[in-house]
Amino acid sequence: MFSKIKGSHILALAFVAAIGLWMSGGQVVVGGQTPEPGEGTPPIAEQTEENQAAPFKVSFVAIEEIDRERNVSVRGRTKADAIIPIRAETGGILAKRLVSRGDFVNVNDVVCEIEPGARESALAGAKASLERAEAEYEANRQLAEKGFASQIKLREMRANMDAAKAALREAEVELSRIVVKANASGFVQDPIASVGDVLQPGSTCVTLNDSDPMFFSGQIAEREVGAVKPGMKASVSLVTGERITGTVSYVASSADTQTRTFLTEIRLDDTGATIRDGLTATAMISLPPTRSFKISPSWVSLADSGQVGVKIVDEGNKVGFKPIEILSQTNNGFWVSGLESGDRIITLGQEYVISGEIVEPVPDPIVNAELTQ
């Protein structure tokens, strides 16, 4: 049996035995130098025990409460103060229309003229009737002074004269109504009447778009309407690229039954005649600032119950969990409530520690620098 063992096998066994004796010596030669007694590398078990005993390092930042600017975004359109039809007060054929679409009209400008028809004749007849009544009254007055006419007859003549004056006044007013004047300022738009149209009393001659002031009109969601009040400032961006400031002038007290939103109007500042009615626009209503905290989304953790919060380090370097409420989200972080100024939030390493664990907190210089920007 032993004769079958070759020389190579004996050499391999001798080599393994030599390595075993060297390792059992417990010394390591580093860089050609033999370490002094007591300077050898500790066993792996001892190293692991030491690492477990040392507190886990985490980065933190002390958070402070700051003012959070809030805005409510509303989509809508521009809206003229009023669309005013200028109506004829008398009937007749339209003889002249002195304005066209797009013209600007001031208050009391003449916009239409109606053919007088028989009104001039009626006025002349009323004047003649008044002259006759005045003559009859004067003659009877003189006779009454001489005793040839009764006071009853004189009072009758007086009544006739007063009636003639009233008829003359009515004929004058009716004739003046053939000239149609604007009772407001604005731009002429449809509907408008054409020359030759027969107008009835109350028919529209021209329509005015009163754009001074101009308004923005939109709908606010029911969850945001409680924060919006008349008098708040707003910025309105038009689809044309213009941006105009304004002031909230109206917030509806009841919601639209279909959309459950509330109509809101913003009076625009210094628009003059530059803003058209019906333009698509977006308004940003500025709300009073509130005190809250700004954090990074990467700091947010979930409790075992699923509650959203952050992990903090107290003065004793013990890890804790604080639930938070996310108020809003921006491009560079969350605005939250539920924290206190001075809370030390763990920014790095929160995934590897649990509540109640003692850690070694280290200030996070990168996050602190970002917060001061």
Side-chain angles (χ1 to χ4, degrees), residues 10 42 165 206 214 276 295:
I10 296 173
K165 287 181 179 179
V206 299
M214 183 69 78
R276 298 180 183 275
I295 67 172

Side-chain angles (χ1 to χ4, degrees), residues 70-76 78 215-217 231-239 241-248 265-269 280-287:
R70 298 186 298 156
N71 296 291
V72 172
S73 178
V74 187
R75 290 187 59 82
T78 57
F215 290 84
F216 166 89
S217 177
M232 289 182 171
K233 297 298 181 182
S235 174
V236 178
S237 299
L238 306 181
V239 70
E242 298 171 88
R243 178 167 293 182
I244 308 166
T245 58
T247 304
V248 176
E265 291 184 352
I266 298 171
R267 178 172 177 153
L268 304 181
D269 300 332
T280 300
T282 301
M284 297 295 291
I285 302 174
S286 300
L287 303 181

Side-chain angles (χ1 to χ4, degrees), residues 58-64 293-296 299 310-313 339-348 361-372:
V58 295
S59 298
F60 76 90
V61 62
I63 198 73
E64 295 292 338
F293 300 87
K294 188 176 183 181
I295 67 172
S296 170
W299 305 349
V310 293
K311 290 181 180 177
I312 64 171
V313 181
L339 301 175
E340 297 180 5
S341 292
D343 279 346
R344 300 193 298 175
I345 298 178
I346 300 176
T347 60
L348 187 62
V362 179
D364 191 326
I366 297 178
V367 175
N368 279 307
E370 291 176 351
L371 291 176
T372 57

Side-chain angles (χ1 to χ4, degrees), residues 17 19 27 33 44 49 86 94 98-100 123 129 143 146 157 177 181 229 253 270 276 353 370:
I19 292 176
Q27 290 185 341
Q33 301 294 327
I44 298 299
E49 186 177 351
I86 307 302
L94 182 60
L98 305 178
V99 294
S100 301
L123 178 60
S129 296
L143 291 174
K146 296 177 180 180
M157 293 297 101
R177 287 174 175 166
K181 295 182 179 181
K229 301 289 188 296
S253 57
D270 301 327
R276 298 180 183 275
V353 294
E370 291 176 351

Side-chain angles (χ1 to χ4, degrees), residues 82-87 97 99-103 105 111-112 185-193 204-210:
I83 304 298
I84 305 170
I86 307 302
R87 305 182 186 277
R97 195 190 69 227
V99 294
S100 301
R101 296 177 185 86
D103 291 347
V105 173
V111 294
C112 295
S185 299
F187 289 92
V188 178
Q189 66 175 42
D190 287 326
I192 59 176
T204 298
C205 174
V206 299
T207 303
L208 298 182
N209 184 328
D210 185 3

Side-chain angles (χ1 to χ4, degrees), residues 74 216 218-221 224-232 247-255 261-266 285:
V74 187
F216 166 89
Q219 300 286 338
I220 292 184
E224 297 176 330
V225 69
V228 179
K229 301 289 188 296
M232 289 182 171
T247 304
V248 176
S249 58
Y250 171 75
V251 179
S253 57
S254 59
T261 56
F262 293 78
L263 175 65
T264 301
E265 291 184 352
I266 298 171
I285 302 174

